[in-house]
Amino acid sequence: MELTLPKELPTYPIFVEGIRRAPDRGYKLTPEQTETALKNALRYIPQELHAQLAPEFMEELLTRGKIYGYRFRPQGDLKAKPIDEYKGKCIEGKAFQVMIDNNLCFDIALYPYELVTYGETGQVCQNWMQYRLIKMYLEELTQEQTLVVESGHPLGLFKSKPEAPRVIITNSMMVGLFDNQKDWDIAAQMGVANYGQMTAGGWMYIGPQGIVHGTFNTLLNAGRMKLGIPQDGDLRGHLFVSSGLGGMSGAQPKAAEIAGATAIIAEVDSSRIETRHRQGWVHYITEDMGEAFKMAHEAMQRREPCSIAYHGNIVDLLEYAVAHNIHIELLSDQTSCHAVYEGGYCPVGISFAERTRLLKEDREEFCRLVDQSLHRHFNVIKELVARGTYFFDYGNSFMKAIYDSGVKEISRNGIDEKNGFIWPSYVEDIMGPELFDYGYGPFRWVCLSGKHEDLIKTDHAAMACIDKNRRGQDLDNWIWIRDAEKNNLVVGTQARILYQDAVGRMNIALKFNEMVRNGEVGPIMLGRDHHDVSGTDSPFRETSNIKDGSNVMADMAVQCFAGNCARGMSLVALHNGGGVGIGKAINGGFGMVCDGSERVDRILRSAMLWDVMGGVARRSWARNQHAMETSEEFNRQMDGYHITMPYLADDSLVKETVNEALKNYHHNK
């Protein structure tokens, strides 16, 4: 068997007008590094084509900041097809092709021609040569093989067994000394590092509804905690303001409306606003700040859900609110601040077009303006918080970006960023204690048949597995899935997301596999977001409510990845970066194909519990109250498992001991 790209050049693709394109990432390599980058791209290509392709690739590097290999992109829109329309020797190989194409279709991908699915830089793989090879390998993959993918590069097929993963993926796993944005930029330009963003490079993105559910849960619980909303109430009559309608998927207005709120979301890119408006994810558009707040005020008085896109900069909008004494109850930010100097954040005072020009022509000036804007952004939030606004970081590295821009005042300990910042991450205050510590997280599935009726059947089956009277969280999630069809959440494949705990995920997964076995539905792909209980170590997001010092450790994510490999999940992935940026997170995830077999049942019974409870156990060991309660219950109820429980030290004893010891220590010195 020989698997290589063909010796005939494909026709250069026609670029469809109106499809968003990634900005020029800037050329940063030395001549020697440039030679290596070109060699790295050409090694995918038969030698007789090198003379023709070398100038093409060189032009891409100099004008786009990366070699994408546009020549090898298939023509048109890469919409996901029903699984039966793909070639393959095993069901998993076909399933992963569905997922890859879904990630790159025009309706889903942020920059489809540059293989960027979401998050400004989150790519399926680095270039179109890799894409073509991966597709070829997936067509040949059998249940006796595993495809290994390293930063987008298909290393090859290796003999394994049916109980082993069919695909193992790693992305941007930089050696510690070089695990920083600058060295990553060079590695990416040289064609050896891919920013997978987990669900992009892990082939598990299901469209923006994933982040809708997370944002919905966050807003609802923020209202309960800070605004006195009862458990059975919603956010009618309350105002939420934020920014970002594209890079981090643009879920905020949709989530706010589902939660009953009035929302104003600022966005500088008009094309992103138009996309969300066309999808029905935001209802009103205005370029007038006064009109935005007037519409919001009227909707609040009517107690009607309302979403407004303000075409302009969030800093201007917030400064307008301060100047006109407008009270903002809930405030956040969902721009791509993990890539703050790569275009994920647009400085106040310049247009989006000027931002794009500066990125290409004067990166130094762009970075200076970003820092300046972040300072203004910080100051206006500080003023609003002083007036009673509840601000929370939505895990996009916004506060870390402010800190890195020189605003050390945002540091909680006044020394560094290790203990977080003066305002909470949404995980720290809300998602962590209220959801993650119990094991609730973003369980996802895709109906690979492409049939909407299959999705409806799975919705009903999932609802039947939920005891909505157990906890408030269960009722929230039951209502979410009950209303999912009405809220028209599907973009791309027939997919759904539902926050569930460990046992809930396992039960639903087993039910789905049974439905496939009985012929009620076609095969189903299971997965989850990196924004979850156990897959991700990230001190500024997923693990920001861990206070025992281990928030800077990545053991949990690596163990989650390794455990899912050992238990035979269909696809297992490990990534550096996630939604917060290179060096700021390690995240592990999975994909699992339900084919109706008993083999899959066995894997689900073991792996689904491990995937969640490993994280709950770590949170319990960090002395998180709800995680300890959940772990104790798990130890009582589950045979063959036992989670190590912490003994709790008396705070006064510890303080007294430390103070006395340090007094003697300093005295003796």
Side-chain angles (χ1 to χ4, degrees):
M1 177 177 62
E2 185 180 356
L3 288 174
T4 69
L5 295 181
K7 295 178 181 178
E8 299 76 36
L9 274 185
T11 306
Y12 203 88
I14 297 166
F15 292 87
V16 178
E17 200 169 328
I19 300 298
R20 279 187 300 272
R21 300 294 304 279
D24 176 6
R25 303 297 184 188
Y27 170 66
K28 304 168 186 174
L29 303 181
T30 66
E32 185 180 5
Q33 289 170 335
T34 304
E35 290 178 13
T36 302
L38 191 56
K39 288 179 186 176
N40 287 349
L42 289 170
R43 61 187 165 181
Y44 291 102
I45 314 293
Q47 283 180 320
E48 49 263 58
L49 302 176
H50 285 193
Q52 185 173 347
L53 284 172
E56 274 188 29
F57 288 173
M58 193 64 204
E59 185 185 8
E60 289 178 14
L61 183 59
L62 294 176
T63 61
R64 310 297 304 184
K66 286 188 75 176
I67 297 173
Y68 294 107
Y70 291 122
R71 166 80 63 175
F72 294 89
R73 188 197 185 275
Q75 294 282 1
D77 189 0
L78 300 178
K79 263 190 204 306
K81 302 185 290 285
I83 188 170
D84 292 341
E85 294 184 27
Y86 289 90
K87 298 177 187 173
K89 296 180 178 179
C90 69
I91 189 170
E92 292 89 348
K94 295 179 184 180
F96 303 147
Q97 293 179 69
V98 175
M99 302 305 295
I100 289 171
D101 283 352
N102 187 65
N103 273 8
L104 293 171
C105 79
F106 290 161
D107 290 339
I108 294 288
L110 178 63
Y111 304 130
Y113 289 112
E114 288 74 38
L115 300 115
V116 175
T117 301
Y118 72 109
E120 191 60 34
T121 51
Q123 292 182 273
V124 170
C125 51
Q126 298 178 61
N127 57 58
W128 291 104
M129 296 82 78
Q130 291 178 345
Y131 168 86
R132 290 211 176 205
L133 271 177
I134 288 168
K135 294 273 283 192
M136 290 168 66
Y137 276 125
L138 290 174
E139 288 177 359
E140 291 295 326
L141 181 70
T142 73
Q143 287 209 329
E144 302 291 334
Q145 294 170 312
T146 296
L147 171 63
V148 178
V149 181
E150 296 180 354
S151 274
H153 169 64
L155 198 69
L157 293 174
F158 294 83
K159 285 199 71 133
S160 57
K161 56 185 179 179
E163 291 76 21
R166 297 281 70 78
V167 176
I168 299 176
I169 298 173
T170 53
N171 275 306
S172 288
M173 300 306 295
M174 310 285 291
V175 173
L177 182 64
F178 305 100
D179 192 9
N180 58 76
Q181 190 66 48
K182 184 180 176 182
D183 284 312
W184 180 88
D185 285 341
I186 292 169
Q189 287 206 344
M190 291 177 70
V192 295
N194 183 59
Y195 196 81
Q197 213 35 296
M198 212 335 264
T199 53
W203 312 341
M204 263 315 302
Y205 193 63
I206 62 163
Q209 68 166 300
I211 207 166
V212 174
H213 197 0
T215 308
F216 163 78
N217 269 329
T218 301
L219 289 175
L220 208 54
N221 281 292
R224 290 165 181 163
M225 290 169 56
K226 303 297 178 179
L227 305 178
I229 306 299
Q231 182 67 44
D232 61 350
D234 61 20
L235 290 173
R236 291 171 195 272
H238 297 281
L239 179 62
F240 169 59
V241 175
S242 188
S243 53
L245 281 176
M248 297 294 282
S249 96
Q252 299 177 96
K254 183 77 171 179
E257 283 208 5
I258 296 172
T262 297
I264 305 174
I265 313 298
E267 171 59 63
V268 291
D269 182 352
S270 61
S271 73
R272 292 177 179 179
I273 294 175
E274 288 159 11
T275 298
R276 300 308 173 199
H277 187 254
R278 186 174 65 251
Q279 290 172 339
W281 286 49
V282 65
H283 280 141
Y284 301 103
I285 303 171
T286 181
E287 295 185 356
D288 185 301
M289 290 180 282
E291 184 182 27
F293 282 114
K294 181 173 180 288
M295 284 193 291
H297 179 70
E298 290 170 354
M300 289 161 69
Q301 285 192 316
R302 296 192 304 269
R303 294 182 60 80
E304 292 178 359
C306 175
S307 60
I308 303 154
Y310 164 63
H311 182 211
N313 198 288
I314 182 64
V315 178
D316 288 327
L317 186 71
L318 298 182
E319 289 176 346
Y320 181 94
V322 168
H324 292 80
N325 204 29
I326 297 168
H327 181 50
I328 296 172
E329 294 168 292
L330 302 175
L331 175 63
S332 191
D333 184 273
Q334 222 173 87
T335 55
S336 297
C337 283
H338 67 282
V340 68
Y341 301 114
E342 289 71 53
Y345 179 91
C346 181
V348 65
I350 65 171
S351 67
F352 184 70
E354 179 66 1
R355 159 264 194 193
T356 304
R357 186 191 70 79
L358 285 172
L359 273 170
K360 181 177 183 177
E361 298 176 9
D362 194 345
R363 184 62 68 93
E364 189 175 330
E365 173 63 5
F366 177 77
C367 293
R368 188 189 70 80
L369 290 174
V370 166
D371 286 347
Q372 191 180 77
S373 185
L374 287 168
H375 285 226
R376 274 178 65 179
H377 207 155
F378 169 77
N379 285 326
V380 71
I381 293 174
K382 185 179 170 185
E383 178 59 33
L384 286 165
V385 169
R387 297 183 183 192
T389 295
Y390 174 61
F391 172 82
F392 56 93
D393 184 315
Y394 200 80
N396 58 340
S397 264
F398 174 68
M399 288 194 291
K400 179 66 165 76
I402 289 174
Y403 178 84
D404 290 342
S405 75
V407 183
K408 304 308 179 188
E409 183 186 346
I410 202 169
S411 165
R412 180 173 287 152
N413 62 18
I415 302 169
D416 55 28
E417 64 273 61
K418 287 183 179 176
N419 289 347
F421 304 104
I422 59 174
W423 303 313
S425 155
Y426 74 121
V427 172
E428 196 172 4
D429 256 20
I430 303 166
M431 298 291 278
E434 297 301 318
L435 292 164
F436 292 172
D437 286 354
Y438 289 102
Y440 293 100
F443 177 61
R444 299 172 165 187
W445 66 92
V446 174
C447 296
L448 295 166
S449 67
K451 297 176 180 176
H452 190 64
E453 56 264 37
D454 281 8
L455 185 61
I456 301 300
K457 290 175 184 175
T458 57
D459 282 349
H460 292 159
M463 281 178 67
C465 292
I466 299 171
D467 178 4
K468 63 180 186 288
N469 299 313
R470 182 178 59 153
R471 296 192 188 109
Q473 294 93 329
D474 295 299
L475 178 60
D476 286 347
N477 291 320
W478 186 86
I479 291 170
W480 167 269
I481 201 72
R482 182 196 68 188
D483 295 344
E485 181 68 11
K486 178 182 75 176
N487 288 322
N488 195 26
L489 295 167
V490 173
V491 181
T493 51
Q494 297 296 316
R496 191 70 80 216
I497 182 170
L498 172 64
Y499 272 57
Q500 281 293 287
D501 65 357
V503 174
R505 298 189 214 196
M506 182 183 70
N507 289 340
I508 293 171
L510 287 168
K511 179 63 181 176
F512 287 175
N513 200 45
E514 181 189 329
M515 292 168 73
V516 175
R517 186 159 50 243
N518 295 338
E520 298 172 55
V521 294
I524 291 171
M525 179 88 165
L526 306 177
R528 60 168 171 78
D529 195 0
H530 52 109
H531 163 251
D532 201 359
V533 177
S534 68
T536 302
D537 287 297
S538 175
F540 309 116
R541 189 158 87 169
E542 285 87 348
T543 47
S544 58
N545 72 318
I546 287 179
K547 304 296 187 182
D548 68 346
S550 70
N551 59 331
V552 301
M553 306 301 292
D555 295 291
M556 178 179 72
V558 175
Q559 289 280 4
C560 183
F561 165 81
N564 284 339
C565 281
R567 289 163 176 81
M569 292 286 205
S570 306
L571 179 151
V572 190
L574 187 69
H575 304 250
N576 178 5
V580 290
I582 286 296
K584 301 182 183 75
I586 301 293
N587 54 77
F590 77 88
M592 187 68 209
V593 179
C594 293
D595 61 4
S597 67
E598 295 293 337
R599 173 185 64 86
V600 167
D601 276 354
R602 289 193 299 273
I603 293 170
L604 291 173
R605 287 194 177 94
S606 168
M608 294 301 289
L609 291 180
W610 159 248
D611 187 67
V612 179
M613 291 308 299
V616 175
R618 187 267 186 93
R619 293 166 186 278
S620 172
W621 190 242
R623 299 181 291 271
N624 291 11
Q625 184 61 42
H626 296 318
M628 288 190 292
E629 295 164 2
T630 305
S631 296
E632 285 176 345
E633 184 182 2
F634 188 78
N635 283 347
R636 285 195 303 272
Q637 295 183 352
M638 306 301 290
D639 290 333
Y641 294 87
H642 190 273
I643 291 168
T644 307
M645 300 299 297
Y647 291 104
L648 302 184
D650 181 79
D651 284 345
S652 59
L653 170 67
V654 171
K655 279 188 172 69
E656 186 180 327
T657 303
V658 170
N659 289 338
E660 186 66 26
L662 289 179
K663 187 170 69 176
N664 293 333
Y665 174 77
H666 291 303
H667 177 74
N668 293 332
K669 282 192 80 173

